[in-house]
Amino acid sequence: MKRSSLILLSMLVVFTMFLAACGKTEEKNTATEQPKTESEKPKEEAPKKDVSLRVFSTFGGTDAAREAFQAAIDEFVSKNPNVKVENDTMSANDDGFRTKVNTDMTSGNEPDVLFYFVGADAQGFVDAGKVVPLNEILDADPEWKAGFSPAALENTRQKDGNIYAVPLTGFYEGLFVNKKIFADNNLELPTDWDKLKKAVETLSKKGIIPLAAPFDQSHYVIEHFILSAAGAKGHNSGLLDGIDPNWEKGYAAMKELYDLGAFPKDAATIDLSMASNYYGEGKAAMILEGSWAMGNWKDPNVIDNTTVLPFPVMPGGAGTGKDIIGGFGSGFYLPKSTYDNADKKDAAIALLKHLTSPAVIEKIALANGGTPAAAGVEIKGKTQTATDGFAMAASASSVNNPIDSMVAPETFSTLRAGVQAVVTGKKSPADVLKEAKEIEDANKK
Amino acid sequence: MIQWLDPKLHPDTPSSSEAASSFKFGRIGAARENKTQVVIKMKGDRKYIWIFLFPMAAFLTLFLYYPFFKSLYFSFYRTKGFFDKKFIGWDNYERLVSDKLLGAATLHTLEIMLYVLIFQVGIALVLAVMVDNITKLKGFFRSVFFFPVVISGTAISLLFVLFYNYNFGLLNNVLAGLGLEKVLWLSETNALKAIAVPTVWHYVGFYFVLFVTAMSKIPEDYYDAAKIEGISGFKKMVKLTIPLILSDIKVVITLAITGTLKVFDFVWVISRAQNGTEVLGTYMYKKAMVDQNFGYGSTVAIYMVVLGVVIALLANRLLKSEEITY
């Protein structure tokens, strides 16, 4: 009895702690609210009112630019002592943060400054008028506007022609290759399809994972195989106006490589971070990833021997072999709720300007290996790999936004689910694409 | 009612059965008296009853019934993200009927339910009987067996990811150390069973505590009588302990069934619901959150509620037995 009452007591304690934790967040909330009430009573001494801003971004968790972003915020706070900034982050590794942003934006819990994707992901809250167009604010400060490279700013333009998000860094995706593993096995780098096939065959026989890729989170696999098969135009046309026959080739090529042993044995159940782990630990020779992934590969044997190539064109594919996936897929938004709040508006705009100043952009780009969105910032990599990546992006014949920004989320899930079904021979590429097309049509009704 | 109390079987022990029955009637008589007192008293306190019930009722309405009816409402809409929805009548339900993935998810959920019923409830019962029979360290074992319940499912799942992983995993490292071939633990045939292991282990302690508590409520007289009869060990468990806690077993089975319908974290973290491990919880999450098709996601949720109620009712019907009072 005594023991069980002890257990009960400790559970009570834990529960009380939980409640206490809840209480604290509430306190925080009231702190955020405070400036509102203060604003009604004008203060005599303080020249500027105390403002508290919540900035939501994905620069948290294992993000390579986490520290650089926090430093940029600290710098702003030290220059503007009247502004408190709450750096609210969530990892971008899973889809959870999309849900978080969307629920916040619909439920009246908008952050004061939001860092999020542009394009299809943002279309919902853009159409609902939850964020303000930044065109006029940009035009009002020519110096700030001129700081951006025009291409970067253009890339964040929404369908309606307005710019709602100011970009920070861009990204590119590609085939990251461990040169050492290739050299050790007397293989040439996979610059064309035959060399890729040869490498896959040889490496899988030796027990090295040729291409670290998961089936479920197969975003990059789908993008690159389809880009290689259908070319930039076919890739970017999505599924709404019919199925590009070349897409089938892309899926068929996945099966071809799978049959040669390209993917890890447990590709069906691992996630992206585990695949990245395999590459980062030197267990895999290649990986399809984005520029942001480099920061996670700490082993010098891997990162110092890594280069990045465009995914080669498959036989009969419409790609040029120099097409890449990339762009400035995200930026800082100014929610309408902040814009309408007289106290927060100026502080938030000042913070936006600070976070997208060339100096900050340069630091973040250096940290996460992304393309800086600022004009005149020298594109240099922290590592040779990053420099190789910039060179690849610079010589690309086309830079394309990823497929998931062209189709509905449910359609993309169907395409993802199709990868395992096709490579294991359960479904034909045509069946998978037909299924995805049906979902896409139902969604556009 | 209880076999060993039948005087025909044990004609030579009138004293023990008499004692038991007089004890029984004594208790019931007292309880009846109490009840009438309580009823009289409660009439004047109705106001307070409502006052104390209100916060919970409000809480349940806000966080349980409102979302439930909202889901019902959404199940008639086709949603596009968070901002756009369109009434489509019964379309989502038509899709539900022909959805092969949902059928597979249902079967996988039922398979896990089977493992849970056999192993989770079974192991909990065996452990409870064993702990009930020892005199020393009872509290220690209770705490130890209960401990996994306190750990979050996600943390346990992450642990098992590291056990099962093909390349770095603990299990395969042990196999490699023994000079054996590596095993793909999460293969298409194995994955669901591999996930059932932590699922079962996680909650054994909870049911174990329920069983131990139920057993501690059995009056000592019964065991004393059994001792005089010379009944002990396995026979005591089957003929005495288990029949006496049958109503608790029923509760545990209902809890286990409804709990299995909610399995999510283990599947999501360990296998990402791939390789034939999609269960209803993950399927609903995928449809609603990943695909942002809240309409169909809500329809799946409604289906889960209906399925859960039906299975729980069915289980209750199958386990119907007389209530035992002591």
Side-chain angles (χ1 to χ4, degrees), chain A residues 395-413:
Chain A
S395 63
S397 58
S398 72
V399 179
N400 308 282
N401 286 320
I403 285 187
D404 57 353
S405 65
M406 331 259 178
V407 295
E410 201 176 358
T411 314
F412 194 63
S413 289

mmCIF file with all atom_site columns, all heavy atoms in Angstrom, chain A residues 395-413:
data_model
loop_
_atom_site.group_PDB
_atom_site.id
_atom_site.type_symbol
_atom_site.label_atom_id
_atom_site.label_alt_id
_atom_site.label_comp_id
_atom_site.label_asym_id
_atom_site.label_entity_id
_atom_site.label_seq_id
_atom_site.pdbx_PDB_ins_code
_atom_site.Cartn_x
_atom_site.Cartn_y
_atom_site.Cartn_z
_atom_site.occupancy
_atom_site.B_iso_or_equiv
_atom_site.pdbx_formal_charge
_atom_site.auth_seq_id
_atom_site.auth_comp_id
_atom_site.auth_asym_id
_atom_site.auth_atom_id
_atom_site.pdbx_PDB_model_num
ATOM 1   N N   . SER A 1 395 ? 25.895 26.921 -63.107 1.00 0.00 ? 395 SER A N   1
ATOM 2   C CA  . SER A 1 395 ? 25.980 26.455 -64.494 1.00 0.00 ? 395 SER A CA  1
ATOM 3   C C   . SER A 1 395 ? 24.757 25.638 -64.905 1.00 0.00 ? 395 SER A C   1
ATOM 4   O O   . SER A 1 395 ? 24.746 25.025 -65.964 1.00 0.00 ? 395 SER A O   1
ATOM 5   C CB  . SER A 1 395 ? 27.250 25.615 -64.681 1.00 0.00 ? 395 SER A CB  1
ATOM 6   O OG  . SER A 1 395 ? 27.166 24.483 -63.859 1.00 0.00 ? 395 SER A OG  1
ATOM 7   N N   . ALA A 1 396 ? 23.718 25.631 -64.052 1.00 0.00 ? 396 ALA A N   1
ATOM 8   C CA  . ALA A 1 396 ? 22.535 24.830 -64.378 1.00 0.00 ? 396 ALA A CA  1
ATOM 9   C C   . ALA A 1 396 ? 21.800 25.419 -65.569 1.00 0.00 ? 396 ALA A C   1
ATOM 10  O O   . ALA A 1 396 ? 21.720 26.633 -65.725 1.00 0.00 ? 396 ALA A O   1
ATOM 11  C CB  . ALA A 1 396 ? 21.597 24.776 -63.172 1.00 0.00 ? 396 ALA A CB  1
ATOM 12  N N   . SER A 1 397 ? 21.258 24.521 -66.414 1.00 0.00 ? 397 SER A N   1
ATOM 13  C CA  . SER A 1 397 ? 20.504 25.022 -67.560 1.00 0.00 ? 397 SER A CA  1
ATOM 14  C C   . SER A 1 397 ? 19.086 25.413 -67.151 1.00 0.00 ? 397 SER A C   1
ATOM 15  O O   . SER A 1 397 ? 18.439 26.205 -67.821 1.00 0.00 ? 397 SER A O   1
ATOM 16  C CB  . SER A 1 397 ? 20.470 23.973 -68.671 1.00 0.00 ? 397 SER A CB  1
ATOM 17  O OG  . SER A 1 397 ? 19.910 22.775 -68.203 1.00 0.00 ? 397 SER A OG  1
ATOM 18  N N   . SER A 1 398 ? 18.592 24.849 -66.051 1.00 0.00 ? 398 SER A N   1
ATOM 19  C CA  . SER A 1 398 ? 17.311 25.312 -65.516 1.00 0.00 ? 398 SER A CA  1
ATOM 20  C C   . SER A 1 398 ? 17.274 25.043 -64.028 1.00 0.00 ? 398 SER A C   1
ATOM 21  O O   . SER A 1 398 ? 17.832 24.059 -63.557 1.00 0.00 ? 398 SER A O   1
ATOM 22  C CB  . SER A 1 398 ? 16.143 24.601 -66.206 1.00 0.00 ? 398 SER A CB  1
ATOM 23  O OG  . SER A 1 398 ? 16.077 23.262 -65.768 1.00 0.00 ? 398 SER A OG  1
ATOM 24  N N   . VAL A 1 399 ? 16.662 25.956 -63.281 1.00 0.00 ? 399 VAL A N   1
ATOM 25  C CA  . VAL A 1 399 ? 16.480 25.760 -61.833 1.00 0.00 ? 399 VAL A CA  1
ATOM 26  C C   . VAL A 1 399 ? 14.982 25.654 -61.586 1.00 0.00 ? 399 VAL A C   1
ATOM 27  O O   . VAL A 1 399 ? 14.236 26.577 -61.905 1.00 0.00 ? 399 VAL A O   1
ATOM 28  C CB  . VAL A 1 399 ? 17.081 26.939 -61.040 1.00 0.00 ? 399 VAL A CB  1
ATOM 29  C CG1 . VAL A 1 399 ? 16.853 26.723 -59.552 1.00 0.00 ? 399 VAL A CG1 1
ATOM 30  C CG2 . VAL A 1 399 ? 18.564 27.089 -61.337 1.00 0.00 ? 399 VAL A CG2 1
ATOM 31  N N   . ASN A 1 400 ? 14.555 24.509 -61.080 1.00 0.00 ? 400 ASN A N   1
ATOM 32  C CA  . ASN A 1 400 ? 13.116 24.244 -60.987 1.00 0.00 ? 400 ASN A CA  1
ATOM 33  C C   . ASN A 1 400 ? 12.652 24.103 -59.550 1.00 0.00 ? 400 ASN A C   1
ATOM 34  O O   . ASN A 1 400 ? 13.347 23.496 -58.740 1.00 0.00 ? 400 ASN A O   1
ATOM 35  C CB  . ASN A 1 400 ? 12.798 22.938 -61.723 1.00 0.00 ? 400 ASN A CB  1
ATOM 36  C CG  . ASN A 1 400 ? 13.364 22.944 -63.119 1.00 0.00 ? 400 ASN A CG  1
ATOM 37  O OD1 . ASN A 1 400 ? 12.806 23.554 -64.013 1.00 0.00 ? 400 ASN A OD1 1
ATOM 38  N ND2 . ASN A 1 400 ? 14.519 22.301 -63.290 1.00 0.00 ? 400 ASN A ND2 1
ATOM 39  N N   . ASN A 1 401 ? 11.472 24.634 -59.272 1.00 0.00 ? 401 ASN A N   1
ATOM 40  C CA  . ASN A 1 401 ? 10.884 24.405 -57.952 1.00 0.00 ? 401 ASN A CA  1
ATOM 41  C C   . ASN A 1 401 ? 10.504 22.940 -57.840 1.00 0.00 ? 401 ASN A C   1
ATOM 42  O O   . ASN A 1 401 ? 10.166 22.303 -58.835 1.00 0.00 ? 401 ASN A O   1
ATOM 43  C CB  . ASN A 1 401 ? 9.653  25.283 -57.770 1.00 0.00 ? 401 ASN A CB  1
ATOM 44  C CG  . ASN A 1 401 ? 10.028 26.727 -57.532 1.00 0.00 ? 401 ASN A CG  1
ATOM 45  O OD1 . ASN A 1 401 ? 10.978 27.016 -56.816 1.00 0.00 ? 401 ASN A OD1 1
ATOM 46  N ND2 . ASN A 1 401 ? 9.306  27.632 -58.170 1.00 0.00 ? 401 ASN A ND2 1
ATOM 47  N N   . PRO A 1 402 ? 10.568 22.386 -56.632 1.00 0.00 ? 402 PRO A N   1
ATOM 48  C CA  . PRO A 1 402 ? 10.261 20.957 -56.471 1.00 0.00 ? 402 PRO A CA  1
ATOM 49  C C   . PRO A 1 402 ? 8.813  20.612 -56.833 1.00 0.00 ? 402 PRO A C   1
ATOM 50  O O   . PRO A 1 402 ? 7.935  21.473 -56.797 1.00 0.00 ? 402 PRO A O   1
ATOM 51  C CB  . PRO A 1 402 ? 10.501 20.697 -54.984 1.00 0.00 ? 402 PRO A CB  1
ATOM 52  C CG  . PRO A 1 402 ? 11.001 21.940 -54.395 1.00 0.00 ? 402 PRO A CG  1
ATOM 53  C CD  . PRO A 1 402 ? 10.963 23.024 -55.391 1.00 0.00 ? 402 PRO A CD  1
ATOM 54  N N   . ILE A 1 403 ? 8.584  19.326 -57.164 1.00 0.00 ? 403 ILE A N   1
ATOM 55  C CA  . ILE A 1 403 ? 7.264  18.875 -57.617 1.00 0.00 ? 403 ILE A CA  1
ATOM 56  C C   . ILE A 1 403 ? 6.191  19.131 -56.576 1.00 0.00 ? 403 ILE A C   1
ATOM 57  O O   . ILE A 1 403 ? 5.059  19.473 -56.907 1.00 0.00 ? 403 ILE A O   1
ATOM 58  C CB  . ILE A 1 403 ? 7.293  17.369 -57.954 1.00 0.00 ? 403 ILE A CB  1
ATOM 59  C CG1 . ILE A 1 403 ? 7.998  17.162 -59.280 1.00 0.00 ? 403 ILE A CG1 1
ATOM 60  C CG2 . ILE A 1 403 ? 5.889  16.790 -58.051 1.00 0.00 ? 403 ILE A CG2 1
ATOM 61  C CD1 . ILE A 1 403 ? 7.949  15.765 -59.784 1.00 0.00 ? 403 ILE A CD1 1
ATOM 62  N N   . ASP A 1 404 ? 6.535  18.995 -55.288 1.00 0.00 ? 404 ASP A N   1
ATOM 63  C CA  . ASP A 1 404 ? 5.458  19.126 -54.301 1.00 0.00 ? 404 ASP A CA  1
ATOM 64  C C   . ASP A 1 404 ? 4.885  20.536 -54.234 1.00 0.00 ? 404 ASP A C   1
ATOM 65  O O   . ASP A 1 404 ? 3.850  20.750 -53.607 1.00 0.00 ? 404 ASP A O   1
ATOM 66  C CB  . ASP A 1 404 ? 5.853  18.595 -52.916 1.00 0.00 ? 404 ASP A CB  1
ATOM 67  C CG  . ASP A 1 404 ? 7.088  19.252 -52.350 1.00 0.00 ? 404 ASP A CG  1
ATOM 68  O OD1 . ASP A 1 404 ? 7.711  20.027 -53.090 1.00 0.00 ? 404 ASP A OD1 1
ATOM 69  O OD2 . ASP A 1 404 ? 7.426  18.997 -51.189 1.00 0.00 ? 404 ASP A OD2 1
ATOM 70  N N   . SER A 1 405 ? 5.538  21.497 -54.882 1.00 0.00 ? 405 SER A N   1
ATOM 71  C CA  . SER A 1 405 ? 4.913  22.816 -54.949 1.00 0.00 ? 405 SER A CA  1
ATOM 72  C C   . SER A 1 405 ? 4.020  22.948 -56.179 1.00 0.00 ? 405 SER A C   1
ATOM 73  O O   . SER A 1 405 ? 3.371  23.958 -56.391 1.00 0.00 ? 405 SER A O   1
ATOM 74  C CB  . SER A 1 405 ? 5.978  23.912 -54.951 1.00 0.00 ? 405 SER A CB  1
ATOM 75  O OG  . SER A 1 405 ? 6.755  23.827 -56.111 1.00 0.00 ? 405 SER A OG  1
ATOM 76  N N   . MET A 1 406 ? 3.977  21.893 -57.025 1.00 0.00 ? 406 MET A N   1
ATOM 77  C CA  . MET A 1 406 ? 3.147  21.941 -58.249 1.00 0.00 ? 406 MET A CA  1
ATOM 78  C C   . MET A 1 406 ? 1.864  21.118 -58.112 1.00 0.00 ? 406 MET A C   1
ATOM 79  O O   . MET A 1 406 ? 0.934  21.298 -58.869 1.00 0.00 ? 406 MET A O   1
ATOM 80  C CB  . MET A 1 406 ? 3.881  21.361 -59.458 1.00 0.00 ? 406 MET A CB  1
ATOM 81  C CG  . MET A 1 406 ? 5.344  21.489 -59.436 1.00 0.00 ? 406 MET A CG  1
ATOM 82  S SD  . MET A 1 406 ? 5.845  22.825 -60.462 1.00 0.00 ? 406 MET A SD  1
ATOM 83  C CE  . MET A 1 406 ? 7.595  22.789 -60.214 1.00 0.00 ? 406 MET A CE  1
ATOM 84  N N   . VAL A 1 407 ? 1.863  20.141 -57.196 1.00 0.00 ? 407 VAL A N   1
ATOM 85  C CA  . VAL A 1 407 ? 0.680  19.285 -57.082 1.00 0.00 ? 407 VAL A CA  1
ATOM 86  C C   . VAL A 1 407 ? 0.114  19.389 -55.673 1.00 0.00 ? 407 VAL A C   1
ATOM 87  O O   . VAL A 1 407 ? 0.781  19.874 -54.760 1.00 0.00 ? 407 VAL A O   1
ATOM 88  C CB  . VAL A 1 407 ? 1.016  17.802 -57.398 1.00 0.00 ? 407 VAL A CB  1
ATOM 89  C CG1 . VAL A 1 407 ? 1.441  17.637 -58.832 1.00 0.00 ? 407 VAL A CG1 1
ATOM 90  C CG2 . VAL A 1 407 ? 2.054  17.267 -56.442 1.00 0.00 ? 407 VAL A CG2 1
ATOM 91  N N   . ALA A 1 408 ? -1.112 18.899 -55.514 1.00 0.00 ? 408 ALA A N   1
ATOM 92  C CA  . ALA A 1 408 ? -1.758 18.930 -54.196 1.00 0.00 ? 408 ALA A CA  1
ATOM 93  C C   . ALA A 1 408 ? -1.012 17.999 -53.234 1.00 0.00 ? 408 ALA A C   1
ATOM 94  O O   . ALA A 1 408 ? -0.421 17.014 -53.674 1.00 0.00 ? 408 ALA A O   1
ATOM 95  C CB  . ALA A 1 408 ? -3.206 18.486 -54.324 1.00 0.00 ? 408 ALA A CB  1
ATOM 96  N N   . PRO A 1 409 ? -1.044 18.300 -51.930 1.00 0.00 ? 409 PRO A N   1
ATOM 97  C CA  . PRO A 1 409 ? -0.322 17.455 -50.970 1.00 0.00 ? 409 PRO A CA  1
ATOM 98  C C   . PRO A 1 409 ? -0.724 15.987 -51.060 1.00 0.00 ? 409 PRO A C   1
ATOM 99  O O   . PRO A 1 409 ? 0.125  15.100 -50.965 1.00 0.00 ? 409 PRO A O   1
ATOM 100 C CB  . PRO A 1 409 ? -0.704 18.026 -49.611 1.00 0.00 ? 409 PRO A CB  1
ATOM 101 C CG  . PRO A 1 409 ? -1.178 19.409 -49.863 1.00 0.00 ? 409 PRO A CG  1
ATOM 102 C CD  . PRO A 1 409 ? -1.698 19.450 -51.262 1.00 0.00 ? 409 PRO A CD  1
ATOM 103 N N   . GLU A 1 410 ? -2.009 15.732 -51.254 1.00 0.00 ? 410 GLU A N   1
ATOM 104 C CA  . GLU A 1 410 ? -2.464 14.337 -51.289 1.00 0.00 ? 410 GLU A CA  1
ATOM 105 C C   . GLU A 1 410 ? -1.948 13.633 -52.546 1.00 0.00 ? 410 GLU A C   1
ATOM 106 O O   . GLU A 1 410 ? -1.632 12.445 -52.510 1.00 0.00 ? 410 GLU A O   1
ATOM 107 C CB  . GLU A 1 410 ? -3.996 14.277 -51.224 1.00 0.00 ? 410 GLU A CB  1
ATOM 108 C CG  . GLU A 1 410 ? -4.494 12.921 -50.763 1.00 0.00 ? 410 GLU A CG  1
ATOM 109 C CD  . GLU A 1 410 ? -6.007 12.858 -50.606 1.00 0.00 ? 410 GLU A CD  1
ATOM 110 O OE1 . GLU A 1 410 ? -6.684 13.882 -50.819 1.00 0.00 ? 410 GLU A OE1 1
ATOM 111 O OE2 . GLU A 1 410 ? -6.497 11.769 -50.287 1.00 0.00 ? 410 GLU A OE2 1
ATOM 112 N N   . THR A 1 411 ? -1.862 14.382 -53.642 1.00 0.00 ? 411 THR A N   1
ATOM 113 C CA  . THR A 1 411 ? -1.308 13.807 -54.863 1.00 0.00 ? 411 THR A CA  1
ATOM 114 C C   . THR A 1 411 ? 0.145  13.419 -54.640 1.00 0.00 ? 411 THR A C   1
ATOM 115 O O   . THR A 1 411 ? 0.594  12.337 -55.039 1.00 0.00 ? 411 THR A O   1
ATOM 116 C CB  . THR A 1 411 ? -1.366 14.834 -56.006 1.00 0.00 ? 411 THR A CB  1
ATOM 117 O OG1 . THR A 1 411 ? -2.646 15.433 -56.009 1.00 0.00 ? 411 THR A OG1 1
ATOM 118 C CG2 . THR A 1 411 ? -1.085 14.196 -57.337 1.00 0.00 ? 411 THR A CG2 1
ATOM 119 N N   . PHE A 1 412 ? 0.867  14.310 -53.972 1.00 0.00 ? 412 PHE A N   1
ATOM 120 C CA  . PHE A 1 412 ? 2.284  14.029 -53.752 1.00 0.00 ? 412 PHE A CA  1
ATOM 121 C C   . PHE A 1 412 ? 2.454  12.804 -52.843 1.00 0.00 ? 412 PHE A C   1
ATOM 122 O O   . PHE A 1 412 ? 3.358  12.001 -53.063 1.00 0.00 ? 412 PHE A O   1
ATOM 123 C CB  . PHE A 1 412 ? 2.987  15.256 -53.164 1.00 0.00 ? 412 PHE A CB  1
ATOM 124 C CG  . PHE A 1 412 ? 4.478  15.132 -53.224 1.00 0.00 ? 412 PHE A CG  1
ATOM 125 C CD1 . PHE A 1 412 ? 5.127  15.051 -54.444 1.00 0.00 ? 412 PHE A CD1 1
ATOM 126 C CD2 . PHE A 1 412 ? 5.229  15.067 -52.065 1.00 0.00 ? 412 PHE A CD2 1
ATOM 127 C CE1 . PHE A 1 412 ? 6.498  14.909 -54.511 1.00 0.00 ? 412 PHE A CE1 1
ATOM 128 C CE2 . PHE A 1 412 ? 6.599  14.929 -52.126 1.00 0.00 ? 412 PHE A CE2 1
ATOM 129 C CZ  . PHE A 1 412 ? 7.237  14.845 -53.346 1.00 0.00 ? 412 PHE A CZ  1
ATOM 130 N N   . SER A 1 413 ? 1.574  12.663 -51.851 1.00 0.00 ? 413 SER A N   1
ATOM 131 C CA  . SER A 1 413 ? 1.625  11.475 -50.989 1.00 0.00 ? 413 SER A CA  1
ATOM 132 C C   . SER A 1 413 ? 1.417  10.207 -51.798 1.00 0.00 ? 413 SER A C   1
ATOM 133 O O   . SER A 1 413 ? 2.041  9.182  -51.546 1.00 0.00 ? 413 SER A O   1
ATOM 134 C CB  . SER A 1 413 ? 0.544  11.534 -49.915 1.00 0.00 ? 413 SER A CB  1
ATOM 135 O OG  . SER A 1 413 ? 0.846  12.510 -48.983 1.00 0.00 ? 413 SER A OG  1
#
